[in-house]
Amino acid sequence: MNFQPSITKEEISYLPVETYQGRIVVVDGPGAVGEAVTRLTSGGPVGFDTETRPNFTKSQHHKIALVQLALGDTCYLFRINRLGSFPAPLVDFINDGSVVKVGLSLQDDFHAIRKRVDIEPAGFVDLQKIVPSFGIADISLQKIYAILFGKKLSKKSRLSNWDAETLSVAQQQYAALDAWTCLRIYQFLKL
């Protein structure tokens, strides 16, 4: 199975926008963490991503605010900044090699997490390392998704305040979509 190797930003601009249709669960209290992790370990691969409030000056440095983990029908948004610390069940999940977790540019995510807690990630698949074997040269999430599914991913909320008191609907949709698309790409290429 080979695909077109690349796609231009102009070509992407004409594509319809993808939307996330699944359920979004915001995990911002310690009591909900264990239940969410139990659900995530109960079946199949999981899409993975993180969000950090952007830095607009060199003197600003923000820690990871959100970890997104998506199943086929549900995405869990772990609000690390609201949980007070990185929850032990989530650390255990990240370190669990028995669950396949799929993301993109994972070293950046791991580096951001390690600023908060010590982790030994296991069971991760980085899409940037897989897609070249299918003839795809572009390795950004938006371009990979456009090549495979003919839809574009909106990046409007990417530079928003992930430390906000409450995540907006647009932020939740964006965050869920990023993790879910990683899972969808993996499942499509593995079939």
Side-chain angles (χ1 to χ4, degrees):
M1 185 169 21
N2 275 336
F3 303 94
Q4 71 185 67
S6 63
I7 189 169
T8 67
K9 287 183 179 183
E10 183 180 359
E11 289 171 313
I12 291 173
S13 71
Y14 294 107
L15 297 176
V17 176
E18 180 65 276
T19 56
Y20 179 71
Q21 300 296 322
R23 186 170 74 114
I24 298 173
V25 178
V26 177
V27 181
D28 55 6
V33 173
E35 181 181 327
V37 170
T38 298
R39 173 78 167 90
L40 288 162
T41 59
S42 66
V46 175
F48 170 84
D49 194 28
T50 67
E51 299 299 337
T52 301
R53 182 178 177 180
N55 299 321
F56 293 109
T57 66
K58 287 186 178 188
S59 63
Q60 285 183 321
H61 299 285
H62 301 288
K63 291 184 177 179
I64 187 172
L66 189 69
V67 173
Q68 306 103 273
L69 293 165
L71 298 168
D73 61 351
T74 305
C75 184
Y76 294 90
L77 307 180
F78 292 86
R79 300 221 46 215
I80 305 303
N81 60 325
R82 294 284 170 231
L83 290 167
S85 65
F86 218 95
L90 188 54
V91 172
D92 293 343
F93 180 78
I94 289 169
N95 294 339
D96 182 355
S98 71
V99 178
V100 174
K101 296 166 282 286
V102 185
L104 187 98
S105 188
L106 291 171
Q107 292 309 314
D108 295 338
D109 293 315
F110 298 157
H111 179 72
I113 292 171
R114 285 187 176 115
K115 288 182 178 180
R116 284 195 176 261
V117 68
D118 187 35
I119 56 167
E120 294 297 328
F124 280 87
V125 175
D126 193 329
L127 292 173
Q128 288 182 332
K129 295 179 180 175
I130 290 177
V131 297
S133 65
F134 291 91
I136 300 172
D138 286 329
I139 57 172
S140 76
L141 185 61
Q142 186 174 52
K143 288 187 173 188
I144 296 167
Y145 199 81
I147 289 168
L148 295 180
F149 300 105
K151 291 189 173 184
K152 66 182 167 187
L153 305 176
S154 172
K155 294 294 182 182
K156 290 180 183 175
S157 294
R158 183 172 66 95
L159 297 178
S160 62
N161 180 5
W162 295 103
D163 286 327
E165 184 71 29
T166 304
L167 293 178
S168 68
V169 171
Q171 284 178 304
Q172 290 181 38
Q173 286 288 321
Y174 171 85
L177 185 64
D178 264 9
W180 176 78
T181 54
C182 288
L183 175 62
R184 186 165 187 221
I185 290 166
Y186 174 79
Q187 290 174 325
F188 180 78
L189 294 177
K190 287 298 184 184
L191 295 178

